[in-house]
Amino acid sequence: MSLLTVGSVAFDAIETPFGKTDKIIGGAGTYIALSSSFYTQDQKIVAVVGDDFPQEMLDTLTSKGVDLEGLQIKQGEKTFFWSGRYHNDMNSRDTLVTELNVLEHFDPIIPESYQGVDYLMLGNLSPQVQRSVIERLTVRPKLVAMDTMNFWMDIALDELKKTLALVDILIINDEEARQLSDEYSLIKASKVIRAMGPKYLIIKKGEHGALLFHGENVFFAPALPLEEVFDPTGAGDTFAGGFMGYLAATDDISFENMKRAIITGSALASFCVEKFGTQRLLEITKNDVAERIEQFVALANFEMVQTI
Ligand code: AMP
């Protein structure tokens, strides 16, 4: 089944306790598309870059099966640029620079050939842009998932709530879930957020795994204990890409299958953090992913012997 990703395609500059990079390729849309390409070849992207964006990376995306008809290249303009510095715990970071450039007036145009897409992943962008994509699709996809961040809760909460009312799944981290719901308990937060629209909610807890909520059901997926986290940038997007790629490939949106999709997303995210930027996602094979998924299964698997 086909998957449409909407998200930033960007330049990033990253500082971690292990080192720093000059401008490298980043962007939520890039991570999502690279990650889901392990599962679905029927992928489309709606995004915008400037004429400074390297053709080589566009060719790489094409070689991974990503249809770039919906990628706008703005002549004479610059690609979105983001720079961040991680603290020693590698969980928190400061944004040093955000240059919106082409994203400032981004109008997400949907090519005719994209109409009828089966799955939609809305990467972190302004909630107005995210909503206009849903409204511009003539047939509602089987599943609409979205990511967002504190930034939009701070400056565009009403817009965010309008968009949330239209999506099936929200994928956010624990800190964002607490801010959005005004509840500290993630169980309470999940109820408040699902009352805003999304029937499903995924709360990512970094090195502590992820929770999936639907109705009265809760599923917990661990994160793989890694010796070293080198650069967490894009891990959340890589998770979302693996999750949606798996659902699109299997075309099954039952709660049971979403559990498998979460493990898939977690496995891909565990690779993403091993090197700077998209580097690790570009060098691993499907076999590497399959092996890591086996590690996840082993990690969470046990036979209980009841003694009471
Ligand atoms: P994550 O680490 O999952 O939060 O995603 C990091 C990616 O998000 C980076 O590659 C950035 O280019 C991108 N990014 C950061 N801020 C924004 C923003 N305001 N809008 C769109 N993309 C962003």
Side-chain angles (χ1 to χ4, degrees):
M1 292 290 134
S2 55
L3 170 65
L4 169 58
T5 294
V6 185
S8 52
V9 173
F11 287 124
D12 291 347
I14 302 158
E15 283 181 40
T16 78
F18 299 103
K20 65 192 271 194
T21 67
D22 289 328
K23 273 191 180 180
I24 56 170
I25 306 287
T30 312
Y31 284 104
I32 295 168
L34 287 177
S35 178
S36 56
S37 72
F38 285 92
Y39 284 86
T40 176
Q41 294 298 297
D42 193 356
Q43 273 215 73
K44 302 154 196 318
I45 191 163
V46 164
V48 62
V49 292
D51 62 7
D52 53 351
F53 196 78
Q55 183 63 37
E56 199 190 341
M57 188 62 191
L58 299 183
D59 294 342
T60 301
L61 287 168
T62 305
S63 74
K64 303 265 176 197
V66 185
D67 175 345
L68 298 183
E69 197 188 337
L71 180 89
Q72 303 168 36
I73 302 174
K74 296 279 183 192
Q75 295 304 316
E77 291 187 47
K78 284 166 76 182
T79 299
F80 172 75
F81 173 65
W82 174 83
S83 169
R85 182 192 292 136
Y86 288 86
H87 300 169
N88 281 339
D89 67 2
M90 292 298 259
N91 260 332
S92 47
R93 69 182 179 203
D94 297 323
T95 289
L96 303 177
V97 182
T98 301
E99 288 173 14
L100 287 176
N101 300 327
V102 286
L103 268 193
E104 191 171 353
H105 301 294
F106 178 39
D107 182 22
I109 296 164
I110 316 282
E112 198 44 46
S113 66
Y114 284 20
Q115 293 296 350
V117 73
D118 300 293
Y119 289 80
L120 173 62
M121 177 65 222
L122 298 166
N124 170 34
L125 279 174
S126 90
Q128 294 97 316
V129 168
Q130 291 176 316
R131 192 165 68 251
S132 69
V133 172
I134 301 174
E135 288 167 352
R136 288 174 183 186
L137 289 173
T138 48
V139 183
R140 188 182 163 85
K142 286 186 183 173
L143 197 76
V144 178
M146 78 176 263
D147 182 13
T148 189
M149 69 190 297
N150 314 44
F151 178 69
W152 305 115
M153 296 172 200
D154 292 337
I155 69 155
L157 187 59
D158 288 344
E159 287 295 335
L160 178 61
K161 284 185 176 169
K162 279 194 227 164
T163 306
L164 273 177
L166 302 179
V167 306
D168 301 303
I169 311 188
L170 176 67
I171 306 175
I172 49 176
N173 69 33
D174 43 2
E175 196 189 309
E176 292 157 351
R178 289 185 172 120
Q179 179 170 346
L180 183 59
S181 63
D182 220 3
E183 289 285 357
Y184 187 80
S185 149
L186 294 180
I187 302 291
K188 285 185 184 166
S190 83
K191 291 182 183 153
V192 173
I193 294 170
R194 285 180 292 152
M196 296 176 182
K199 295 181 290 297
Y200 298 86
L201 173 68
I202 295 177
I203 301 182
K204 298 167 290 177
K205 290 156 58 73
E207 61 179 323
H208 303 297
L211 292 159
L212 166 68
F213 297 89
H214 175 244
E216 293 302 311
N217 296 321
V218 188
F219 173 67
F220 171 70
L224 199 69
L226 292 171
E227 250 176 63
E228 210 166 72
V229 172
F230 196 78
D231 169 22
T233 309
D237 310 309
T238 303
F239 171 92
F243 176 79
M244 287 300 274
Y246 186 85
L247 291 182
T250 51
D251 194 24
D252 172 355
I253 56 170
S254 65
F255 190 77
E256 282 309 303
N257 204 47
M258 282 193 192
K259 293 182 185 176
R260 297 181 198 108
I262 285 201
I263 296 296
T264 303
S266 305
L268 279 153
S270 75
F271 284 113
C272 176
V273 302
E274 289 178 344
K275 289 194 177 170
F276 270 128
T278 55
Q279 208 180 330
R280 196 73 180 113
L281 288 181
L282 291 172
E283 60 188 30
I284 55 172
T285 63
K286 286 189 177 180
N287 265 348
D288 294 326
V289 179
E291 274 176 26
R292 192 150 290 186
I293 288 177
E294 288 308 320
Q295 282 178 265
F296 267 87
V297 174
L299 182 70
N301 198 14
F302 64 94
E303 257 179 54
M304 184 64 202
V305 178
Q306 292 271 27
T307 57
I308 52 167

